[in-house]
DNA sequence: CGCCTAGTTGAAAACGGATTTCAATTTAAA
DNA sequence: TTTAAATTGAAATCCGTTTTCAACTAGGCG
């Protein structure tokens, strides 16, 4: 999904929900799209503060929740106790490789794994709505430098 | 691993670490083994309080951390903001199916998925230390009752 | 046994990220 | 405009986790 497309999707969402379009929400969405994925609320807040001190943490927090409701962002947890947000892929799901040395996060997708997940779930009588797969280890830079 | 085996493993751990064997630690381990897996600190604390009011939350918390250090328990997070602990399987890893309606948690293991994970990680230059796979959906009872 | 020292305990305080409160402000419909 | 409803941000609150600290053991030693 292109950036302008995402912006109009958000505007539509605000309209249909009877919410208002504000300068802060626009700034936060722009910075969110510019900044790349896997930012914590704090990360995004600090980036915004540098450019525009008139934005509060609470607003960033609430706006990220709106993004998630609207479907343009997803909340993630990688075990460090902080929520992170990433821009939603339009249709396909992906999982994560996380380097436990440098913190680098790589996305991947493997339909063979997804199929096996459905199979296993079916064996246990579950119908799956969503899943989480995270692989923790050392990226190439970190494993060679040991 | 049998329960008495687990208990002696914990005693050994305490000895080798220069820690002391106390009544509280014994009670907590017994209740932990009796109670089944996926308990939060709070869960275990409440169960212990019913039988013996002279046990503090802090002690339960610290003892569960000892279990994890010692290798007889593992900490898990299933997205409800609470840490949960489960007794460690002696050698094999397992993953989880979680019912988003009733909260039921089922364990499973699939070596085909594990193999594919290693393959995908290798393609990205990662060497994997551990992983987390959770499938969220509706168990058979909950999906039929809709 | 009783002493002694290091480890342990539990109530309460501190912590840290997430969330809410509320008075002042802004949006946008009438 | 005027006005009602939504939004904002600083500060307060929430809630699970973790630490503090004075009182209390465990267990080694004489």
């Amino acid at each position: 999904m292109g950036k302008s497309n995402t912006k109009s999707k958000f505007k539509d969402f605000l309209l249909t929900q009877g919410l208002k379009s504000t300068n802060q929400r626009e700034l936060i969405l722009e910075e969110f799209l510019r900044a790349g994925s896997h930012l914590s609320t704090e990360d995004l807040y600090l980036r915004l503060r540098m450019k525009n001190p008139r934005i509060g943490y609470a607003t960033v927090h609430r706006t990220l929740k709106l993004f998630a409701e609207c479907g343009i962002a997803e909340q993630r947890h990688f075990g460090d106790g902080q929520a992170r947000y990433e821009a939603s892929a339009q249709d396909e799901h992906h999982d994560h490789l996380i380097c436990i040395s440098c913190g680098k996060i790589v996305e991947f997708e493997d339909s063979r794994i997804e199929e096996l997940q459905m199979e296993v779930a079916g064996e246990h009588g579950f119908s799956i709505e969503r899943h989480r797969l995270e692989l923790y280890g050392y990226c190439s830079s970190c494993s060679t430098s040991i």
Side-chain angles (χ1 to χ4, degrees), chain A:
Chain A
M1 182 155 29
K3 291 196 177 184
S4 60
N5 193 342
T6 303
K7 287 187 193 175
S8 55
K9 184 171 180 182
F10 185 52
K11 285 217 165 152
D12 283 353
F13 172 79
L14 293 178
L15 266 179
T16 61
Q17 300 291 310
L19 304 177
K20 287 171 179 172
S21 199
T22 69
N23 194 240
Q24 283 92 333
R25 286 176 176 165
E26 278 175 34
L27 287 172
I28 293 169
L29 179 51
E30 265 176 45
E31 190 61 33
F32 175 69
L33 294 174
R34 184 182 303 126
S37 269
H38 310 118
L39 291 101
S40 65
T41 307
E42 178 84 13
D43 291 339
L44 191 54
Y45 169 66
L46 290 176
R47 290 182 65 120
L48 283 156
R49 282 297 282 230
M50 284 195 285
K51 300 179 182 178
N52 186 339
R54 307 189 53 46
I55 285 192
Y57 183 94
T59 302
V60 177
H61 167 78
R62 286 182 288 225
T63 305
L64 281 169
K65 276 187 27 174
L66 284 183
F67 291 172
E69 266 182 73
C70 158
I72 65 181
E74 282 170 46
Q75 200 187 48
R76 304 266 179 203
H77 290 269
F78 294 120
D80 63 350
Q82 288 205 139
R84 290 170 188 281
Y85 289 84
E86 68 179 38
S88 299
Q90 54 282 55
D91 38 42
E92 75 177 30
H93 170 83
H94 63 257
D95 299 302
H96 296 89
L97 278 156
I98 298 116
C99 179
I100 53 185
S101 172
C102 68
K104 181 173 156 189
I105 299 175
V106 174
E107 299 174 352
F108 71 91
E109 198 272 336
D110 191 301
S111 57
R112 297 168 303 168
I113 293 179
E114 315 257 326
E115 276 170 36
L116 288 172
Q117 288 174 359
M118 298 306 276
E119 182 185 321
V120 169
E123 284 165 12
H124 289 85
F126 272 67
S127 60
I128 297 308
E129 291 288 315
R130 63 179 189 277
H131 74 262
R132 163 154 80 172
L133 173 57
E134 288 149 23
L135 307 179
Y136 295 87
Y138 297 97
C139 72
S140 49
S141 332
C142 290
S143 46
T144 53
S145 64
I146 288 175

